[in-house]
Amino acid sequence: MSRHKIPLRDGVRAESAWIGWDRPLNTFFAQVLGLPDAEGEQEELVWAGTSYSEMTKAAEAVRVLEPWCDIDAGMVARLEIDRMATLARQDGPNQIEAKSFMTRLETVNRIKPGEA
């Protein structure tokens, strides 16, 4: 997994923005975290790339962050290099079990009450 901090645009009311590649989920992700509240908790203002193969192109993740961030021209290339660096890796036992669980959960969530 890769993770890069991206500078926020002037005037954006958020604390940080992140972009990267999540190999086990086979997706790029984009995240903007809000300013901490009184208890120190942060709201995810943007969190894309949380589902399997949700964003398979780096440019998709960059587009998600563009309203919030100043993104340099080389970020798409860096993200694609991050992805390519993981091509030969395989899932370990924990990742295999997590994917199996996610598949079962998606199946359960698709079944409407009374259909089972």
Side-chain angles (χ1 to χ4, degrees), residues 5 8-9 20 22 25 35 41-42 46-47 50 65 68-69 78 80 85-86 90 98 107 111:
K5 189 171 186 178
L8 295 164
R9 291 187 187 275
D22 186 328
L25 282 179
L35 298 169
E41 296 293 319
Q42 290 179 286
V46 173
W47 198 349
T50 60
L65 289 185
W68 302 84
C69 301
R78 279 195 298 282
E80 287 295 348
T86 68
Q90 295 182 352
T107 301
I111 298 173

Side-chain angles (χ1 to χ4, degrees), residues 9 19 28 54:
R9 291 187 187 275
I19 195 168
F28 291 96
E54 183 177 334

Side-chain angles (χ1 to χ4, degrees), residues 2 5 24 33 36 49-51 55 68 105 108:
S2 70
K5 189 171 186 178
L33 298 175
T50 60
S51 300
M55 291 190 291
W68 302 84
L105 185 61
V108 168

Side-chain angles (χ1 to χ4, degrees), residues 1 20 22 24-31 44 46-55 102 106:
M1 182 169 174
D22 186 328
L25 282 179
N26 192 51
T27 189
F28 291 96
F29 65 89
Q31 184 179 41
E44 291 93 12
V46 173
W47 198 349
T50 60
S51 300
Y52 189 78
S53 292
E54 183 177 334
M55 291 190 291
M102 289 170 54
E106 286 175 7

Side-chain angles (χ1 to χ4, degrees), residues 42-87:
Q42 290 179 286
E43 179 183 2
E44 291 93 12
L45 302 173
V46 173
W47 198 349
T50 60
S51 300
Y52 189 78
S53 292
E54 183 177 334
M55 291 190 291
T56 58
K57 299 198 179 348
E60 294 174 278
V62 167
R63 275 194 295 279
V64 169
L65 289 185
E66 282 177 335
W68 302 84
C69 301
D70 292 317
I71 303 172
D72 71 78
M75 182 51 68
V76 169
R78 279 195 298 282
L79 290 167
E80 287 295 348
I81 290 168
D82 292 346
R83 182 190 63 78
M84 287 186 289
T86 68
L87 290 177

